[in-house]
Amino acid sequence: EAGGVVLGKSADKLFSLSGLFAVYKPKGPTSAGVLNLLKERLLAEAGVQTNGNKRNQVLKIGHGGTLDSAAAGVLVVGIGKGTKMLRTMLAGSKKYTAIGLLGKATDTLDATGKVTEEKPYDQITKGDLENVLQKFTGDIMQVPPLYSALKKDGERLSTLMKRGEAVEAKPARPVTVYNLSLQQFQPPLFTLDVECGGGFYVRSLVSDIGKELSTCATMQELTRTKHGPFTLEEHALHEDKWTIDEIARSLEHCTSLLPGEPSHKKLKTEHPGETAVSCE
């Protein structure tokens, strides 16, 4: 029973869901917005009345690492006991595909911001760009963007910036880039594949690459293609699959992806002929 209401079968099933799965976040909404929509969908399907109470914590659900509003891709979601596993996801490696634009800088370091600088870029060759990427691979220091979800005195830097308050840059911090490669070069656009650890900002990377090339650059598009073991192609549920049954099925598959499983699951990887357990 919840608040004196006898719950039906689908509500029972919803509240018994536990673990990690992944959803597709489109461009536009915030990560929190996507999570709220998902929660609303599931509660509505289960017939649970939330009485318009936003703070209603009936359903335990959380995500494993914010994607900027303008970015798309894999958002890892924890439900039930899975919410406790999200902290370990945050530290996991992530893969992104980013499109950068040479010759322009913006205050947010991405396409949503105001242009703050324009510089010529015709002199830059594909080779120049490839050479510079080596400097940004491995353990590097990175200054996080001013417009970000990082907080100062409990408020997001982006909120303070929008209010016009002076915000000091956060100090550079150590981040890890496992792989960085140039996929396409069609000036002024270039496409990068990045695999990195937690706390890394691809926007800052694109901006820093521009400076290193004696011009400027801003991120046009960003897609997270992988987070931990969850990939965009195989695991991210699109909005039409945000149902209790689809999520239950996904959770079942996804359990096999996570570390700390019984050892018989690990044997699969020993035989290259067999495909790893995928979680659609």
Side-chain angles (χ1 to χ4, degrees), residues 4-207:
V5 185
V6 179
L7 299 174
K9 266 209 173 69
S10 58
D12 276 346
K13 185 165 184 180
L14 173 60
F15 289 113
S16 69
L17 295 178
S18 188
L20 297 180
F21 63 103
V23 296
Y24 173 76
K25 178 195 150 345
K27 265 163 84 159
T30 62
S31 295
V34 168
L35 213 61
N36 286 335
L37 184 60
L38 173 68
K39 203 170 178 175
E40 267 168 43
R41 276 291 161 80
L42 295 174
L43 290 169
E45 186 192 341
V48 179
Q49 293 297 313
T50 55
N51 307 326
N53 176 3
K54 278 271 159 60
R55 289 268 157 261
N56 198 330
Q57 290 302 311
V58 250
L59 187 61
K60 281 185 74 172
I61 200 162
H63 69 73
T66 306
L67 263 181
D68 289 334
S69 311
V74 178
L75 190 65
V76 177
V77 177
I79 191 165
K81 291 200 181 77
T83 51
K84 297 206 171 32
M85 301 156 79
L86 290 169
R87 288 215 67 73
T88 55
M89 283 310 300
L90 288 165
S93 95
K94 307 169 179 73
K95 280 187 181 172
Y96 296 92
T97 299
I99 300 176
L101 173 78
L102 290 167
K104 274 192 180 144
T106 65
D107 54 1
T108 57
L109 312 187
D110 67 14
T112 64
K114 291 195 264 300
V115 175
T116 53
E117 197 180 9
E118 296 197 46
K119 280 185 163 180
Y121 59 85
D122 330 340
Q123 71 286 5
I124 293 162
T125 66
K126 188 178 179 190
D128 293 337
L129 197 43
E130 283 173 334
N131 288 338
V132 154
L133 296 187
Q134 294 167 15
K135 293 191 178 178
F136 294 99
T137 307
D139 295 322
I140 61 169
M141 295 300 284
Q142 184 185 64
V143 177
L146 284 177
Y147 279 90
S148 72
L150 296 179
K151 294 188 173 163
K152 179 195 170 194
D153 306 329
E155 278 203 277
R156 283 174 180 237
L157 294 184
S158 49
T159 311
L160 297 170
M161 293 285 289
K162 281 171 193 157
R163 274 214 306 266
E165 294 192 22
V167 174
E168 272 185 44
K170 292 253 178 188
R173 51 191 195 167
V175 290
T176 305
V177 177
Y178 300 104
N179 276 301
L180 179 56
S181 59
L182 181 63
Q183 294 305 310
Q184 265 186 316
F185 183 63
Q186 292 168 303
L189 297 175
F190 61 96
T191 305
L192 301 173
D193 273 353
V194 190
E195 185 179 358
C196 55
F200 184 83
Y201 281 91
V202 184
R203 287 184 281 152
S204 293
L205 170 72
V206 170
S207 168

Side-chain angles (χ1 to χ4, degrees), residues 256 261-277:
S256 62
E261 281 303 299
S263 54
H264 65 263
K265 295 258 168 65
K266 301 226 169 79
L267 295 174
K268 293 228 159 156
T269 52
E270 249 94 294
H271 307 293
E274 285 196 47
T275 50
V277 184

Side-chain angles (χ1 to χ4, degrees), residues 187-240:
L189 297 175
F190 61 96
T191 305
L192 301 173
D193 273 353
V194 190
E195 185 179 358
C196 55
F200 184 83
Y201 281 91
V202 184
R203 287 184 281 152
S204 293
L205 170 72
V206 170
S207 168
D208 292 344
I209 285 171
K211 289 178 190 152
E212 195 65 43
L213 290 164
S214 307
T215 177
C216 48
T218 191
M219 194 172 74
Q220 289 299 99
E221 267 184 53
L222 183 67
T223 307
R224 180 150 71 198
T225 55
K226 192 169 191 264
H227 187 175
F230 299 92
T231 69
L232 187 53
E233 290 79 22
E234 285 182 275
H235 315 122
L237 298 176
H238 284 253
E239 216 181 310
D240 58 336

